[in-house]
């Protein structure tokens, strides 16, 4: 029995390794070879959570960004935020002196003058129990007319349902802690099973909104995409994100390949410039144009700098990429500058690197596959040169996984409300009240 169990576990492990290898994004994030610099989040795609303590400390004091020369903190002209007074407060509390501090006389009836006002913004936790009564009426024709009544004796209201969803989806709080929090605030015992049922019901109600977001992304001029692994039950699933400045669409699949993308976007994104890393599945999609994330390339080239400090090929590559970013930021893009950049990049990629470590040739081959998509953002100024927005979106999934240890189901949610400046809770409440 033990031998059979071991063989089964080994087969599962091999299957997972194969899936990960098949879905490689073109970067080698394997364990560090002897004598080579350690790979971390600053010079590869290894996430910060998998770094050594030494690498974390180095990252804390080292950055790929060039110093701006500006002081830390808010800059001149930065608009701050503070509490705002309301024109009509819910209640007014008057504070009047009762006795004279000099002679001790009572000040009752003495005319007063307002010298100051202070508003206090607070939250009241009020539990409201409403009873919905359903009646029937008999028409003159004899027809008995009933209201549509739910088949339950008691249920949780929309606000609690929206709160449960908000705590799990937005704040990434696990089921057990949500149940404790709601029970403490409301005085009503709520189970983890009920929390899961509420989330499942609300997810179903959000399907129409999800579909509307998906359709809008299909016609968006710019879309960023990324994916990350997550444990669902005891299986490895992949969380995909497709987003832009206004919309976010997240879905979960067992596949990391084209099967997952085709399920959601069967016609591709024919009107969009797709901003991604170098994961091969994205380049099989039908899109208008591609833009490769330059932040990924900066990290990879930084590793080459550390690998061989005597060569200057990777440093020249870094200077070209950073120069393209500076041109975009300074809004001084011209066709001539774009042509010069592309020529210099072609010349750089045409150099022989056989005298250097194999990592250099491997990196160059990967760049050659996507060289036509390095400077798309210079031709289309509305296209970003990095995929940081998508990475921020999947980071939330990783945070939730780290807090909860995994996902019980493959239900997901989006951040579209936040991107449009709306209250995420109110957006969830609107879905619940459908």
């Amino acid at each position: 029995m033990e031998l059979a169990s071991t063989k089964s576990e080994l087969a599962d492990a091999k299957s997972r390794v194969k899936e990960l290898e098949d879905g490689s994004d073109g970067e080698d994030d394997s364990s560090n070879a002897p004598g080579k610099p350690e790979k971390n989040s600053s010079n590869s795609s290894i996430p910060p959570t998998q770094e050594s303590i030494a690498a974390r400390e180095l990252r804390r004091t080292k950055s790929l960004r060039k110093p701006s020369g500006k002081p830390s903190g808010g800059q001149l002209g930065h608009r701050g935020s503070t509490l705002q007074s309301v024109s009509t407060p819910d209640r007014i509390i008057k504070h009047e002196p009762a006795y004279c501090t000099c002679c001790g006389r009572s000040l009752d009836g003495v005319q007063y003058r307002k010298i100051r006002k202070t508003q206090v913004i607070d939250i009241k936790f009020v539990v409201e129990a409403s009873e919905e009564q359903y009646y029937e009426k008999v028409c003159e024709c004899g027809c008995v007319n009933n209201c549509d009544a739910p088949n339950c004796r008691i249920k949780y209201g929309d606000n609690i349902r929206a709160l449960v969803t908000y705590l799990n989806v937005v704040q990434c709080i696990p089921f057990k802690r949500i149940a404790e929090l709601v029970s403490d605030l409301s005085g009503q015992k709520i189970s983890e099973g009920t929390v899961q049922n509420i989330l499942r019901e609300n997810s179903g109600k959000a399907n129409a909104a999800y579909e509307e977001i998906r359709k809008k992304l299909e016609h968006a001029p710019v879309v960023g995409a990324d994916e990350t692994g997550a444990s669902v039950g005891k299986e490895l699933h992949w969380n995909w994100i497709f987003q832009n400045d206004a919309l976010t669409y997240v879905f979960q699949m067992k596949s990391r390949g084209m099967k997952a993308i085709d399920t959601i976007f069967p016609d591709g994104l024919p009107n969009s410039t797709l901003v991604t890393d170098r994961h091969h599945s994205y380049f099989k999609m039908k899109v208008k144009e591609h833009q490769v994330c330059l932040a990924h390339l900066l990290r990879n080239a930084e590793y080459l700098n550390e690998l061989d400090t005597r060569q200057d090929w990777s440093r020249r590559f870094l200077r070209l990429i950073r120069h393209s970013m500076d041109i975009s930021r300074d809004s001084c893009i011209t066709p001539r500058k774009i042509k010069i950049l592309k020529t210099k990049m072609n010349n750089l990629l045409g150099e022989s690197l056989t005298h250097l470590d194999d990592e250099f040739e491997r990196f160059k081959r990967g760049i050659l596959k996507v060289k036509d998509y390095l400077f798309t953002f210079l031709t289309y100024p509305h296209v970003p040169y990095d995929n940081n927005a998508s990475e921020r979106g999947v980071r939330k999934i990783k945070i939730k996984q780290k807090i909860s240890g995994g996902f019980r189901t493959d239900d997901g949610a989006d951040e579209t409300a936040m991107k449009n400046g709306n209250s995420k809770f109110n957006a969830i409440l609107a879905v619940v009240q459908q």
Side-chain angles (χ1 to χ4, degrees), residues 92-218:
I92 296 177
I93 303 174
K94 295 183 178 180
H95 297 274
E96 304 175 19
Y99 299 93
C100 177
T101 56
C102 180
C103 66
R105 287 191 180 91
S106 173
L107 298 178
D108 288 344
V110 176
Q111 190 174 11
Y112 57 81
R113 176 174 62 89
K114 183 168 66 176
I115 58 173
R116 184 180 180 85
K117 67 176 182 180
T118 299
Q119 290 194 353
V120 180
I121 307 299
D122 205 351
I123 296 176
K124 292 179 66 176
F125 297 101
V126 179
V127 178
E128 178 185 78
S130 59
E131 182 173 284
E132 299 178 351
Q133 300 180 350
Y134 301 87
Y135 300 91
E136 67 178 18
K137 291 184 176 180
V138 181
C139 179
E140 293 181 358
C141 69
C143 176
V144 179
N145 300 275
N146 296 323
C147 296
D148 293 330
N151 186 24
C152 63
R153 181 182 61 83
I154 190 170
K155 63 179 181 178
Y156 290 104
D158 293 341
N159 287 319
I160 287 183
R161 290 172 176 270
L163 176 62
V164 166
T165 306
Y166 173 85
L167 293 174
N168 181 260
V169 174
V170 179
Q171 299 301 333
C172 306
I173 300 179
F175 288 8
K176 183 177 180 180
R177 290 171 59 187
I178 292 175
E180 291 178 354
L181 178 61
V182 174
S183 297
D184 288 344
L185 294 180
S186 68
Q188 301 291 324
K189 185 68 174 179
I190 185 172
S191 67
E192 295 179 49
T194 300
V195 170
Q196 184 170 348
N197 290 337
I198 289 174
L199 292 171
R200 185 179 292 112
E201 291 172 9
N202 291 345
S203 177
K205 290 182 177 181
N207 286 340
Y210 283 146
E211 179 60 17
E212 186 65 26
I213 292 170
R214 190 196 66 79
K215 288 181 178 178
K216 288 184 177 180
L217 280 174
E218 280 187 323

Side-chain angles (χ1 to χ4, degrees), residues 387-401:
N387 198 29
N388 292 347
S390 299
E391 291 189 343
R392 286 193 294 270
V394 298
R395 185 181 302 146
K396 185 172 182 179
I397 297 171
K398 303 306 289 186
I399 290 173
K400 183 172 181 179
Q401 182 183 16

